[in-house]
Amino acid sequence: SQTIHQWPATLVQPVGSPLSLECTVEGTSNPNLYWYRQAAGRGLQLLFYSVGIGQISSEVPQNLSASRPQDRQFILSSKKLLLSDSGFYLCAWSVGRYEQYFGPGTRLTVT
Amino acid sequence: GENVEQHPSTLSVQEGDSAVIKCTYSDSASNYFPWYKQELGKRPQLIIDIRSNVGEKKDQRIAVTLNKTAKHFSLHITETQPEDSAVYFCAAFSGYALNFGKGTSLLVTP
């Protein structure tokens, strides 16, 4: 069966510091991968999606970037965090275009 | 792009009653409509979905209906239980991605 991992689970970072969040999927090949952000008490905002290695599409221009160095690995990065980057970051995967399954998430607090 | 509106934002029902959450979408090309349940501090979980060639789908106490002409779809939960308390999100698939509603916080009181 398929499993999705995210780490770290929680992170507290000062403003201006860099960020690297990692997501990996097991048990499937060539998944579509997604990064979402959920601000406190808010909905899900799609940040990036990838349909293959090295293929990244950005939905929201901002100081975040994503990379997919391997088929089942998706990384979210920032060179300098802003206070507004705080939130719950969720990675998701799908095979094909439809059913998406979320990882456990990383709760980021920028101080 | 696709715009998904979800109502109500909060819903409180008594245990055993039914709950209905409604969503509308704007892109007539949207063809897949999932519902997610998110408990506090947890990840969203896919609970039911429907494709555009189907009008209704049931899974035990939950059901989803789709009206393509009116561009709206609804989640129905019957015989609600306290463990149904959570935030529910609807979504519509358009282009390459899911577009989510803002969520409905459902509280089931014993």
Side-chain angles (χ1 to χ4, degrees):
Chain A
S1 63
Q2 299 85 1
T3 309
I4 180 168
H5 303 279
Q6 285 187 247
W7 62 89
T10 60
L11 191 60
V12 180
Q13 292 283 96
V15 168
S17 64
L19 174 74
S20 181
L21 303 181
E22 189 165 342
C23 169
T24 59
V25 180
E26 297 177 354
T28 187
S29 297
N30 196 31
N32 294 334
L33 296 173
Y34 310 84
W35 278 112
Y36 290 87
R37 177 171 61 200
Q38 186 174 37
R42 304 288 293 276
L44 294 152
Q45 179 188 31
L46 178 65
L47 302 175
F48 301 95
Y49 66 91
S50 172
V51 299
I53 295 174
Q55 300 179 60
I56 309 294
S57 296
S58 173
E59 288 294 300
V60 182
Q62 56 206 330
N63 66 320
L64 298 172
S65 61
S67 63
R68 184 169 177 174
Q70 300 180 41
D71 180 45
R72 289 170 287 180
Q73 184 185 31
F74 206 21
I75 297 172
L76 182 69
S77 303
S78 174
K79 292 182 179 178
K80 289 186 177 182
L81 284 169
L82 307 172
L83 283 174
S84 58
D85 291 325
S86 292
F88 192 37
Y89 287 81
L90 291 154
C91 181
W93 69 273
S94 69
V95 174
R97 302 171 69 189
Y98 296 137
E99 294 89 348
Q100 287 187 24
Y101 299 94
F102 288 89
T106 295
R107 194 162 303 280
L108 171 67
T109 303
V110 182
T111 60
Chain B
E2 174 67 278
N3 182 43
V4 179
E5 299 283 341
Q6 183 171 348
H7 300 280
S9 57
T10 60
L11 180 60
S12 182
V13 300
Q14 287 203 313
E15 183 177 0
D17 289 349
S18 295
V20 180
I21 303 170
K22 299 181 179 182
C23 289
T24 61
Y25 61 99
S26 59
D27 186 353
S28 56
S30 293
N31 57 2
Y32 171 69
F33 307 90
W35 287 87
Y36 287 83
K37 174 184 179 182
Q38 186 177 28
E39 296 176 350
L40 191 62
K42 302 290 183 62
R43 75 183 87 181
Q45 299 269 18
L46 177 64
I47 57 171
I48 195 167
D49 56 15
I50 192 167
R51 305 210 179 184
S52 58
N53 58 347
V54 176
E56 183 176 4
K57 184 177 179 180
K58 290 184 179 180
D59 183 2
Q60 299 182 3
R61 294 187 299 108
I62 60 174
V64 58
T65 59
L66 172 65
N67 184 326
K68 285 181 59 181
T69 302
K71 289 190 280 190
H72 68 69
F73 56 112
S74 301
L75 178 71
H76 305 253
I77 306 174
T78 59
E79 301 173 19
T80 54
Q81 301 167 4
E83 51 265 38
D84 294 329
S85 297
V87 178
Y88 291 81
F89 292 96
C90 65
F93 186 89
S94 177
Y96 293 99
L98 287 173
N99 297 277
F100 285 85
K102 294 189 186 303
T104 296
S105 179
L106 173 64
L107 177 64
V108 180
T109 55

